[in-house]
Structures are given as C-alpha cells and as structure tokens.
Amino acid sequence: MLSEQLTALIPEGFSDLSKVWVFQSSRAFIEKEQKEINEQLYHFYAQWVSHGAPVKGWAKVVFNQFIVVIADDTTDRICGSATDAMMRLMKSLEKQYEVNLFDRLMITFLVKDKPEMLPFNQVGYALEKGYINESTLLFNNSAVTNKKQLFKSWLIPLKESWLGERVL
C-alpha cells in the first residue's frame, strides 16, 4: 500500500542512495495548504544548488502530514549551504502554517489507514488501552536517510521499530 503510493508520487530516476529527509508536521495540512506548500517546495528544489551546480531534487507533502525531500547526491555531495537552505525553507513553512516540523517526541502511527499522532509519553497508555498494538504500523521517520530506506523502513510494525524495544 505505502510503497505503491510512494512509487506513484516520487519521480523515476532517483538513485536508491539518494538522500532523504522526512519532516513530520504537528498536524495534518488541509488541501489548500498542501497545494501552497507543494508549490513552494517545487520552487525551492527547481532552483536548489550545491557548489554552484543544480541539485537533482524533489519534495512534496505526503499523506497530508509529512514533507519528504529527496536529493540525488550520488554523483556530487550536497554541501552544507544547500542543506541549510532546505532547513531555512522548513523553518519558514513552520512559521507560515503554525506547525512544528522538528518535534521528535510526537510519534505517528497508521491507524485505520490514517496517520495518527501520539506524544511519546502516551504510547504506553495507548498500548494498554488497545488503541495500538505491536503490529500497528509506525512512521519510522528517524530511520530514513535514503530512498531505499524510505520504501523499506519508513512504515513498519511497532514491534520491529526502535520504539518497540522500549515499550513492548
């Protein structure tokens, strides 16, 4: 399910080793916001440069709640200033849309085919009450650093994640 949706979204021609960043929003974006954000992301990556050369990049709001950014740096490493430019854009989007894109203490699960967020400290309670279980799929944002991991490791059962080791 997830792989097919991602495959349909991500343009072909990116190496499996392409650098990936996943930014999780503190809330879902409404359709109008997604359109505006996707337009800003397009303008950014269409002009993205590293060491004066264009970066082969792509970015989009995915599943209404995540911003996924890809840069194919397999032939030329992305410089710090190119990464900084992307981070400045993310900070700007945070302010524009009054969201947090850098909160690592919010955990997102796929519940009834919809991303649902839980504060880290409430995961145990959610397990106790049966809201989630060891097979509930977790958006494993921190484990994704390249395109291959995005497809294979982004959405995994709780029991197979770093969090599963702590709460199960």
Side-chain angles (χ1 to χ4, degrees), residues 39-54:
E39 188 173 312
Q40 290 184 59
L41 292 169
Y42 172 78
H43 287 294
F44 171 76
Y45 73 77
Q47 300 173 36
W48 201 6
V49 293
S50 177
H51 302 290

Side-chain angles (χ1 to χ4, degrees), residues 33-133:
E33 292 172 327
Q34 288 181 55
K35 185 177 181 199
E36 293 168 357
I37 292 167
N38 284 334
E39 188 173 312
Q40 290 184 59
L41 292 169
Y42 172 78
H43 287 294
F44 171 76
Y45 73 77
Q47 300 173 36
W48 201 6
V49 293
S50 177
H51 302 290
V55 172
K56 180 179 179 182
W58 176 88
K60 195 166 190 98
V61 175
V62 178
F63 305 115
N64 305 325
Q65 189 142 0
F66 302 91
I67 296 174
V68 175
V69 180
I70 301 175
D72 194 335
D73 67 345
T74 52
T75 55
D76 216 357
R77 284 290 186 231
I78 292 185
C79 67
S81 61
T83 302
D84 290 346
M86 178 199 45
M87 292 302 195
R88 281 192 302 276
L89 174 61
M90 294 305 134
K91 288 291 187 184
S92 172
L93 292 172
E94 277 188 319
K95 287 182 181 139
Q96 278 181 268
Y97 295 96
E98 298 178 351
V99 296
N100 186 332
L101 295 173
F102 295 93
D103 185 354
R104 302 281 185 228
L105 294 178
M106 289 300 286
I107 311 297
T108 303
F109 295 91
L110 191 64
V111 179
K112 297 180 183 169
D113 294 326
K114 183 177 178 237
E116 296 286 343
M117 295 182 75
L118 281 173
F120 176 78
N121 63 1
Q122 291 183 12
V123 172
Y125 178 80
L127 278 163
E128 251 177 57
K129 297 298 181 188
Y131 180 68
I132 59 172
N133 61 49

Side-chain angles (χ1 to χ4, degrees), residues 16-28:
D16 280 350
L17 299 178
S18 295
K19 180 84 177 124
V20 171
W21 295 266
V22 176
F23 299 93
Q24 174 179 282
S25 174
S26 52
R27 64 169 174 82

